[in-house]
Amino acid sequence: MEKRNHSEVTEFILSGLTDRPELQVPLFGVFLVIYGITLVGNGGMILLIRTDPRLHTPMYFFLSNLSFCDLCYSLIISPKMLLIFLAERNISYTACVVQLYLSIAFGDIECLLLAVMAYDRYVAISNPLHYTVTMSRQVCKQLVALVYTVGFVDSVIHTWLTFRLSFCSSNIIRHFFCDIPPLLALSCSDTRINEIVIFVFMSCMTVSIFVTFLLSYAYIIITVLRIRSAEGRRKAFSTCSFHLITGVLLFGTLFFMYLRPTSSYSMDTDKVASVFYMVVIPMLNPLIYSLRNTEVKDALRRTMNKLQEMEKGNNSEVTEFILLGLTDCPELQVPLFGVFLVIYGVTLVGNGGMILLIMIDPQLHTPIYFFLSNLSFCDLCLSSIISPKMLLNFLAERKSISYTACAVQMNLSVVFGDVECLLLALMAYDRYVAICNPLHYTVTMSRQLCKQLVVGAYAVGFVDSVIYTCFTFRLSFCSSNIINHFFCDIPPLLALSCSDTRINEIVMFTLACCIIVSSFVTVLLSYVYIISTILQIRSAEGWCKTFSTCSFHLTAVVLLFGTLLFMYLRPTSSYSMDTDKVASVFYTVVIPMLNPLIYSLRNTEVKDALRRAMNKLLTNS
């Protein structure tokens, strides 16, 4: 049966929340904001609990695990859901299996953690004298380990039973993620066993958890009502009420979704219900457990005060930085100024000319040139952020840059560095669709989708840059203000700081992996498929022509990503600033100059457009 599944269905198509085109962009914006709040809220909660010693208690140990669970839950569902709004509705068979498996696992874990947290509150309020013994550190770890074990075992059973079914009639899932009910509705096999298993397991797990949750709060409320202090009763009741609302909201949607026969399903109603426990609840949890919790608010206040003191310390210690530049040899300053002035001029003319040419020539109003015009704009901005200050420093005796200007330069360089990586990945994907699926090219790479992809690239770049800048300029620079570089980049600033930079290194490594590595892998995979398709072309001329274009594009990509991986995906202890300066010249100065040359000199369409533009100018003159 498993072999038959793979022969029948190799991928599924997710219909998403709605098929109305006018709602796609607004919903994308709404859920992108929710996703951002979820990541910041839960990530911030985990970080706050780890860094504040006063929150190292059983309750907050469980809460950090709940935040981790919500974080994972959101990462499993939201990215694909956002892509669906941008018309990327396909999901492979394997990816669907993984998504279903992980969503069930973390859904179970969240329910179990809420029950464990309710029991913890019951012990703390109803049996305060036995609290430290009953909820010891070892017991808490064992409870959490048991919770994860139950969740993953339950998920294995559900996933195995679901994907043993045959999907032979259709591969369109009427949902925004791979969930059990729509998959059962899609199957052409007998699903009665699956329905029975779902009902039995959900009854055993969800109902028992919900009963534990309610009983714990019933005992808590009884205990609270015995408190003589009106203020104490009001405070305890307000905290419990919000926690209880969250539990009822989660368990209510789960009961509604799973504890009824598939014959009564309305997929549109189920989609709305799923949004609550898949998207909204993970966003609300950190807000509920922080805004209504004095201890968390106090911890947050202490952290903010500490950061403000650090920032004041930074501003009082450092008001400007000194950039050492590429070299400190006086005799090389003027020659280097001349070389980089020429490079900057070529970059401005090349990229500016490319943007203008694409705008004025109707034959270049295609997806690939739309991406190329944005790449040229990105190169123009990146070069203008770095080169003028670098050129000025070749001629200046005092190579200073203000604290604010340094922060702005770093922020913008990260933005356009990220956007360039993402645009190269999009261009590679565009070429893959054009060469490997030419019949679907105009539909797949529609004008609306191209605009949404570019907006998404810029949004990711700006968000990533804000995170980098905030983390970097929260550090203390008390020992020296001399940056051993020609611009304000993250590695030399981390090397300059007298604060603990381990968190920055972790954040830098994680974000760099997410953006640089994923973009690079996308480019490589796209070109693997392109090359395999080209090798099937019988015409030697077409074969050679396509390979020559791809080889130059691939060379530029390897040059850019190679330097970025070299620069950022290694610990700061291994940095050699002189080597890094040379590497940085490539991706901040040389690559922006080469890109318009690579995409024009080896491109017949661009050369023909340039020839038409020149003939038009000569005719008019």
Side-chain angles (χ1 to χ4, degrees):
M1 187 180 288
E2 190 173 6
K3 288 181 181 178
R4 199 166 70 245
N5 279 348
H6 287 280
S7 64
E8 292 156 359
V9 175
T10 58
E11 68 174 8
F12 293 100
I13 298 171
L14 296 164
S15 64
L17 271 177
T18 178
D19 55 0
R20 293 174 62 183
E22 68 275 12
L23 292 178
Q24 302 299 319
V25 174
L27 285 174
F28 174 82
V30 170
F31 284 103
L32 182 64
V33 170
I34 291 174
Y35 183 47
I37 294 171
T38 303
L39 295 181
V40 173
N42 288 288
M45 182 65 77
I46 294 167
L47 189 63
L48 188 66
I49 292 169
R50 286 177 64 88
T51 56
D52 196 300
R54 297 187 191 182
L55 299 183
H56 293 175
T57 60
M59 179 61 184
Y60 295 106
F61 174 69
F62 297 134
L63 183 54
S64 65
N65 277 278
L66 184 70
S67 292
F68 172 74
C69 181
D70 285 330
L71 205 59
C72 294
Y73 216 8
S74 187
L75 288 168
I76 294 159
I77 304 299
S78 294
K80 184 61 187 175
M81 184 170 133
L82 291 170
L83 283 174
I84 292 170
F85 290 126
L86 302 178
E88 185 59 47
R89 297 173 182 267
N90 293 5
I91 183 169
S92 69
Y93 186 92
T94 305
C96 189
V97 173
V98 172
Q99 190 183 54
L100 177 68
Y101 172 76
L102 292 176
S103 63
I104 294 170
F106 286 104
D108 288 351
I109 292 165
E110 179 147 0
C111 293
L112 291 163
L113 281 173
L114 284 172
V116 170
M117 290 170 73
Y119 176 71
D120 174 85
R121 290 299 83 198
Y122 156 70
V123 176
I125 295 172
S126 302
N127 298 287
L129 298 177
H130 300 95
Y131 181 67
T132 54
V133 178
T134 307
M135 301 302 294
S136 65
R137 191 170 186 81
Q138 186 178 1
V139 170
C140 293
K141 288 181 178 178
Q142 289 172 346
L143 285 171
V144 168
L146 181 63
V147 162
Y148 278 89
T149 303
V150 171
F152 282 108
V153 169
D154 180 54
S155 182
V156 166
I157 296 167
H158 281 301
T159 306
W160 181 77
L161 284 172
T162 302
F163 285 94
R164 281 290 180 180
L165 298 172
S166 180
F167 304 100
C168 52
S169 57
S170 174
N171 69 335
I172 300 172
I173 300 174
R174 289 191 58 205
H175 218 296
F176 60 88
F177 75 105
C178 290
D179 198 14
I180 296 174
L183 282 166
L184 295 186
L186 192 66
S187 175
C188 52
S189 304
D190 187 352
T191 61
R192 283 176 295 182
I193 294 174
N194 293 69
E195 291 177 38
I196 293 167
V197 170
I198 289 173
F199 187 83
V200 171
F201 273 78
M202 292 302 293
S203 296
C204 292
M205 185 174 291
T206 311
V207 175
S208 61
I209 292 168
F210 188 58
V211 169
T212 304
F213 187 87
L214 284 181
L215 285 176
S216 297
Y217 270 94
Y219 282 110
I220 287 170
I221 291 167
I222 290 168
T223 305
V224 169
L225 289 173
R226 293 173 182 167
I227 297 172
R228 294 182 180 181
S229 167
E231 186 181 351
R233 283 200 305 271
R234 184 188 58 79
K235 184 179 177 182
F237 262 127
S238 65
T239 307
C240 292
S241 64
F242 278 85
H243 191 187
L244 199 57
I245 288 167
T246 306
V248 170
L249 190 63
L250 174 65
F251 290 114
T253 51
L254 288 175
F255 284 143
F256 176 76
M257 284 292 294
Y258 296 111
L259 297 187
R260 58 198 178 106
T262 52
S263 57
S264 65
Y265 279 131
S266 167
M267 287 297 176
D268 293 330
T269 309
D270 286 355
K271 284 186 213 177
V272 176
S274 297
V275 167
F276 280 97
Y277 78 90
M278 287 295 203
V279 181
V280 177
I281 296 293
M283 177 192 70
L284 289 179
N285 279 341
L287 301 177
I288 291 169
Y289 292 102
S290 60
L291 297 178
R292 302 297 304 179
N293 192 316
T294 308
E295 290 178 336
V296 172
K297 287 192 285 186
D298 289 343
L300 185 61
R301 196 176 294 112
R302 287 192 296 271
T303 304
M304 293 301 293
N305 290 337
K306 190 184 288 186
L307 289 172
Q308 284 174 1
E309 287 173 9
M310 188 183 293
E311 187 176 13
K312 286 179 183 177
N314 283 346
N315 293 334
S316 62
E317 293 152 6
V318 175
T319 57
E320 66 175 10
F321 293 101
I322 306 296
L323 295 165
L324 288 183
L326 273 176
T327 178
D328 55 359
C329 296
E331 63 273 14
L332 291 177
Q333 302 298 317
V334 175
L336 285 174
F337 172 82
V339 169
F340 284 102
L341 182 62
V342 171
I343 291 173
Y344 184 47
V346 173
T347 303
L348 294 180
V349 173
N351 287 288
M354 182 65 76
I355 294 167
L356 186 63
L357 188 65
I358 292 168
M359 286 180 66
I360 63 174
D361 196 300
Q363 293 185 30
L364 298 183
H365 292 175
T366 60
I368 185 63
Y369 293 108
F370 175 69
F371 293 134
L372 183 54
S373 65
N374 278 278
L375 184 70
S376 293
F377 173 74
C378 185
D379 284 331
L380 203 62
C381 293
L382 186 60
S383 184
S384 297
I385 292 159
I386 305 298
S387 295
K389 185 61 182 174
M390 183 172 72
L391 291 169
L392 186 64
N393 285 343
F394 283 129
L395 304 178
E397 290 185 10
R398 183 175 171 79
K399 304 174 182 183
S400 62
I401 183 170
S402 70
Y403 187 91
T404 305
C406 186
V408 170
Q409 189 185 55
M410 195 196 87
N411 179 274
L412 292 176
S413 64
V414 173
V415 169
F416 290 105
D418 285 353
V419 174
E420 179 146 358
C421 292
L422 293 166
L423 283 172
L424 285 172
L426 292 176
M427 291 171 73
Y429 176 71
D430 174 88
R431 291 298 83 198
Y432 155 73
V433 177
I435 295 171
C436 300
N437 297 289
L439 297 177
H440 300 95
Y441 180 68
T442 53
V443 177
T444 305
M445 301 303 294
S446 65
R447 189 170 186 81
Q448 184 182 2
L449 177 62
C450 292
K451 288 179 179 179
Q452 289 170 345
L453 288 172
V454 169
V455 169
Y458 278 95
V460 170
F462 278 104
V463 170
D464 182 50
S465 179
V466 167
I467 295 169
Y468 272 128
T469 308
C470 289
F471 270 89
T472 302
F473 285 91
R474 288 290 184 181
L475 298 173
S476 180
F477 305 99
C478 51
S479 56
S480 173
N481 69 335
I482 299 172
I483 300 174
N484 188 9
H485 217 292
F486 61 88
F487 76 104
C488 291
D489 198 15
I490 299 169
L493 283 166
L494 295 187
L496 190 66
S497 175
C498 52
S499 305
D500 187 354
T501 61
R502 283 177 295 181
I503 294 175
N504 292 68
E505 289 178 39
I506 293 167
V507 169
M508 186 170 72
F509 184 84
T510 304
L511 293 177
C513 282
C514 290
I515 292 176
I516 299 173
V517 176
S518 60
S519 299
F520 185 57
V521 169
T522 303
V523 170
L524 284 182
L525 286 176
S526 297
Y527 271 96
V528 167
Y529 283 108
I530 288 169
I531 291 167
S532 65
T533 303
I534 291 170
L535 290 173
Q536 296 170 14
I537 299 172
R538 295 183 179 181
S539 167
E541 185 182 352
W543 193 67
C544 183
K545 183 181 177 181
T546 315
F547 255 127
S548 65
T549 306
C550 292
S551 65
F552 278 86
H553 185 193
L554 201 55
T555 301
V557 167
V558 169
L559 191 62
L560 173 66
F561 285 107
T563 52
L564 289 174
L565 294 171
F566 173 76
M567 283 291 294
Y568 296 111
L569 297 188
R570 57 199 179 103
T572 52
S573 56
S574 66
Y575 281 131
S576 166
M577 287 299 175
D578 293 331
T579 308
D580 286 354
K581 280 192 251 185
V582 176
S584 297
V585 167
F586 280 96
Y587 79 90
T588 59
V589 180
V590 177
I591 295 292
M593 177 192 70
L594 290 178
N595 278 340
L597 302 177
I598 292 168
Y599 294 103
S600 61
L601 297 178
R602 301 298 304 179
N603 192 315
T604 308
E605 290 178 336
V606 172
K607 287 192 285 186
D608 290 343
L610 184 60
R611 196 177 294 112
R612 286 193 296 272
M614 292 300 293
N615 291 336
K616 195 173 185 179
L617 285 172
L618 291 171
T619 304
N620 291 337
S621 62

